[in-house]
Amino acid sequence: MSLRRNISLSSGLSYRGGSPYLAYILHRIGGSALFIFFTLYILSLLGMSFANAIFGNWFVQILLLVFGLFHIINGLRITILDLFPRWIEHFQLAFNIQWIVYALLAGYALFVVLRNAFGG
């Protein structure tokens, strides 16, 4: 028995789920970024020089940092709301706090990476 849904690609891409949908998508991208990071890290430990070259690129560092950091902070929010079910009624407040914490940490981290990348 299969589940049939008549949803076109254009209607699926135009879904307006708001910030929870954005967090869902960014969480998945962040998980992929962490997988790539750990894979490259293991390869660099094994002495693969191309992995060190990829890690040395400041653009790759920024991509892995931005998406990985979001994955971590969003995962903390999900865990806290799962552990304390009464707090689910404050979902929007938790979501706003998550974005503020993410913006502060990502801003500082980007500053450090860019300062080091451009010789600061």
Side-chain angles (χ1 to χ4, degrees):
M1 177 180 223
S2 67
L3 182 62
R4 294 186 150 238
R5 294 184 181 167
N6 294 325
I7 299 173
S8 67
L9 179 62
S10 62
S11 65
L13 293 175
S14 66
Y15 174 68
R16 304 284 183 232
S19 54
Y21 181 68
L22 177 64
Y24 173 81
I25 296 298
L26 290 176
H27 192 76
R28 297 314 181 260
I29 294 171
S32 300
L34 287 175
F35 176 77
I36 292 168
F37 169 76
F38 288 125
T39 302
L40 286 173
Y41 182 71
I42 290 169
L43 290 175
S44 70
L45 288 177
L46 293 173
M48 305 287 182
S49 60
F50 74 92
N52 289 329
I54 292 173
F55 271 142
N57 187 342
W58 62 270
F59 185 71
V60 172
Q61 291 176 6
I62 288 175
L63 284 178
L64 294 175
L65 176 78
V66 168
F67 288 118
L69 187 62
F70 183 84
H71 183 83
I72 292 166
I73 293 172
N74 191 49
L76 283 173
R77 178 189 58 86
I78 291 169
T79 302
I80 289 170
L81 291 179
D82 281 348
L83 289 175
F84 303 101
R86 285 193 198 177
W87 293 1
I88 220 53
E89 56 195 46
H90 304 291
F91 168 78
Q92 193 60 45
L93 176 64
F95 204 73
N96 292 338
I97 291 171
Q98 170 194 335
W99 279 108
I100 291 169
V101 169
Y102 172 72
L104 292 173
L105 289 175
Y108 178 72
L110 287 174
F111 169 74
V112 170
V113 168
L114 290 174
R115 183 187 63 190
N116 291 337
F118 296 115

